[in-house]
Amino acid sequence: MKIIKHCEEDGAGGTDLVQGVLLGMVVDTKLEITNCFPFPRHSDEENFDEVQYQMEMMRNLRHVNIDHLHVGWYQSTPMFESFLNRALLDSQFNYQNSIEESVVLIYDPLRTAQGQLSLKAYRLTPAAMKFYEEQDFSPEAVGLLKIGFDSLFEEIPVVIRNSHLMNIMMCKVEEKTTSGPQLQSLDLATSSVLKKNIKQLMDCVDSLSQDCNKFFNYQRQSSKQQQSKQQYTQKREAENATRMQKGLNPLPDEDLNKVFKPIPMPPRLDSLLISSQIDNYCKHMSQFSSQSLGKLFMAEGLQDPSN
């Protein structure tokens, strides 16, 4: 509830990104998240030390005997935007590198507004940790570690449990609620949601196409340079053979990397992240479409005069 409240108050109802710290403990093979606190909003011009703020908050929580062990962080997803990006990967790597059991909780305010609480926990896979630690994003490294867009993150099952006091409070709130029935989950208008998701999906496909074109250009330029190197080497060998026949000393060996400057290889990490975003949008649209079709069939059955 603290995460939802933080998103509603500081995230403008889910349109802005909000982040915070997760606190809890490890019990046997389970990670229990029992508390959290948000990162305050500040401008880039302000001199704000996030590390000092976190340490001060955890120190204060420890003084009042509340779980204060750092076990990860959380963030919301801005409206119709994917959370899979370089910033998330970098932050989770730093957390997981310093705190092995840390996770990131992703809260989706859009799905929650549609009647389904959306909280998902993710961790970097061991292969992704090694891949990002070495900072070698070449195709050879991707093939060696067998990294794919679907193996960067692993989803951890989330079980939500409320305390007895929380359940009592929710029952009292439900009794005092005088508003009519909540029918948002029965809304049949789906075109706007699908239209925005398809637009985001098209943008990701365009970005992936541009990234692929960069890699194809690199391959063509690299192939041309390799042919130029072979022609240059053959020419030097022919010149040396001619000089040897004339009794002259052969030409000194040259570093080909100085003659032909190496072409920088485009990193493959961006294409993996964009592919993960595309996969995430496709899954979202598939789930949303299946639910919408079920509601449409139900509405058709209710309107059938024979029933």
Side-chain angles (χ1 to χ4, degrees):
M1 292 189 67
K2 288 183 178 180
I3 296 175
I4 299 175
K5 182 180 179 182
H6 180 205
C7 183
E8 291 296 326
E9 293 180 352
D10 292 348
T15 58
D16 295 337
L17 177 70
V18 297
Q19 295 177 331
V21 176
L22 299 175
L23 305 174
M25 64 185 71
V26 179
V27 180
D28 296 330
T29 60
K30 299 179 181 179
L31 177 64
E32 293 187 0
I33 299 173
T34 57
N35 203 359
C36 66
F37 61 85
F39 287 142
R41 300 183 68 88
H42 61 89
S43 61
D44 296 335
E45 298 178 355
E46 297 180 11
N47 187 15
F48 179 74
D49 190 350
E50 291 187 357
V51 177
Q52 181 64 28
Y53 170 77
Q54 294 181 40
M55 296 300 295
E56 187 67 25
M57 285 293 296
M58 289 188 287
R59 188 180 300 111
N60 294 334
L61 291 173
R62 182 178 58 187
H63 289 164
V64 294
N65 199 23
I66 296 177
D67 293 337
H68 61 278
L69 297 180
H70 202 160
V71 295
W73 61 296
Y74 71 86
Q75 80 165 37
S76 65
T77 57
M79 203 68 72
F80 297 106
E81 293 185 11
S82 177
F83 60 90
L84 294 168
N85 50 41
R86 182 72 74 93
L88 178 81
L89 181 62
D90 184 63
S91 298
Q92 181 58 24
F93 172 79
N94 292 330
Y95 270 96
Q96 207 164 319
N97 194 37
S98 57
I99 308 172
E100 185 178 359
E101 63 273 4
S102 64
V103 299
V104 53
L105 269 183
I106 303 297
Y107 169 66
D108 191 343
L110 178 61
R111 294 189 186 181
T112 302
Q114 295 171 352
Q116 295 181 349
L117 177 61
S118 179
L119 271 177
K120 294 185 177 182
Y122 293 94
R123 280 173 52 86
L124 286 173
T125 61
M129 287 290 294
K130 185 177 180 181
F131 177 64
Y132 200 76
E133 182 179 8
E134 294 176 353
Q135 292 291 308
D136 181 12
F137 306 136
S138 63
E140 291 78 11
V142 174
L144 181 63
L145 296 175
K146 298 180 180 179
I147 290 289
F149 70 89
D150 55 347
S151 59
L152 286 175
F153 290 92
E154 58 180 347
E155 185 175 352
I156 308 299
V158 176
V159 178
I160 300 177
R161 294 181 179 175
N162 292 328
S163 64
H164 298 301
L165 292 176
M166 179 64 70
N167 291 329
I168 294 173
M169 187 195 73
M170 295 299 293
C171 291
K172 290 186 177 180
V173 169
E174 185 179 5
E175 292 175 357
K176 294 181 179 180
T177 302
T178 58
S179 61
Q182 303 294 326
L183 302 178
Q184 293 90 342
S185 59
L186 299 178
D187 187 10
L188 300 179
T190 60
S191 59
S192 61
V193 176
L194 289 176
K195 186 184 298 182
K196 292 178 181 179
N197 274 278
I198 290 175
K199 185 179 181 302
Q200 294 288 344
L201 180 61
M202 291 171 61
D203 293 340
C204 287
V205 172
D206 290 339
S207 299
L208 182 61
S209 177
Q210 294 175 5
D211 191 78
C212 290
N213 288 333
K214 291 180 182 178
F215 186 69
F216 293 152
N217 290 333
Y218 160 77
Q219 288 183 319
R220 285 194 295 266
Q221 294 175 6
S222 179
S223 178
K224 290 180 180 178
Q225 189 181 73
Q226 192 65 27
Q227 293 177 0
S228 299
K229 285 182 179 180
Q230 293 178 357
Q231 293 175 359
Y232 181 81
T233 303
Q234 293 173 359
K235 183 179 178 181
R236 294 277 295 185
E237 291 177 353
E239 290 180 359
N240 286 333
T242 304
R243 292 175 65 91
M244 291 291 291
Q245 292 176 359
K246 295 180 180 180
L248 300 176
N249 294 327
L251 296 173
D253 294 334
E254 289 185 342
D255 188 2
L256 292 179
N257 290 330
K258 293 182 179 179
V259 180
F260 302 94
K261 293 183 179 180
I263 302 173
M265 180 183 300
R268 306 306 297 154
L269 179 61
D270 292 336
S271 63
L272 292 176
L273 290 174
I274 296 173
S275 299
S276 298
Q277 293 176 7
I278 293 174
D279 182 63
N280 186 47
Y281 281 127
C282 290
K283 289 180 179 178
H284 185 196
M285 286 191 294
S286 176
Q287 294 174 0
F288 184 79
S289 299
S290 62
Q291 296 170 3
S292 300
L293 287 174
K295 291 188 290 186
L296 290 174
F297 281 120
M298 181 182 67
E300 182 182 8
L302 292 175
Q303 294 177 358
D304 191 352
S306 61
N307 293 336

